[in-house]
Amino acid sequence: MKSGKIILFVLAAFALIFYFLFFLGSGGQTGGFNFIWIAISLAAVGFILIFFATRMGAPSEVPDNVTVNIDLPGEVGMDTIKCKSCGGVLSEKDIKLVAGAPVATCPFCGTTYQLTEEPKW
Ligand SMILES: [Zn+2]
């Protein structure tokens, strides 16, 4: 995440440097028209890269506010999830994302298991 942001900023800096060079090169030359267009597109690329770089960095700066959205199938209501072992009703707090998969931990008997797409309980 962080390195990608740095790479984008470096690329943006290069684009703007070359924009400046092409802009200077456009003056007093026969190929001036082409240089101007290259310069304009380089500037556009540079600003687009900066835009993406700043947007990319935004979420990592506020890690505490990141809410984990657990994607459960629409059919499975939170109040209908029950423990496989003891039948205790599991609440939203008992489900956490482990390695990208929703994992339920029963507060009553301590059983931990993965939630599948189509639960059979
Ligand atoms: Zn249980």
Side-chain angles (χ1 to χ4, degrees):
M1 205 73 167
K2 280 270 180 183
S3 58
K5 187 181 171 184
I6 291 163
I7 288 166
L8 280 183
F9 270 120
V10 169
L11 285 174
F14 269 109
L16 290 178
I17 287 165
F18 277 104
Y19 154 72
F20 192 64
L21 291 177
F22 275 110
F23 190 76
L24 289 179
S26 66
Q29 288 192 25
T30 46
F33 183 76
N34 289 330
F35 275 122
I36 275 286
W37 282 109
I38 292 166
I40 287 167
S41 30
L42 277 173
V45 166
F47 282 117
I48 287 166
L49 286 173
I50 287 170
F51 174 74
F52 277 112
T54 47
R55 281 193 57 147
M56 191 187 271
S60 60
E61 285 164 11
V62 280
D64 293 338
N65 292 343
V66 173
T67 49
V68 179
N69 291 318
I70 301 167
D71 251 343
L72 290 175
E75 298 279 318
V76 184
M78 279 299 171
D79 51 348
T80 62
I81 296 176
K82 287 182 180 178
C83 175
K84 280 179 187 174
S85 303
C86 69
V89 179
L90 301 177
S91 68
E92 201 172 343
K93 291 177 206 165
D94 304 313
I95 299 161
K96 287 171 184 171
L97 276 184
V98 177
V103 173
T105 307
C106 178
F108 305 101
C109 66
T111 309
T112 309
Y113 46 85
Q114 239 186 349
L115 291 176
T116 49
E117 282 289 312
E118 286 177 44
K120 296 284 186 256
W121 64 80

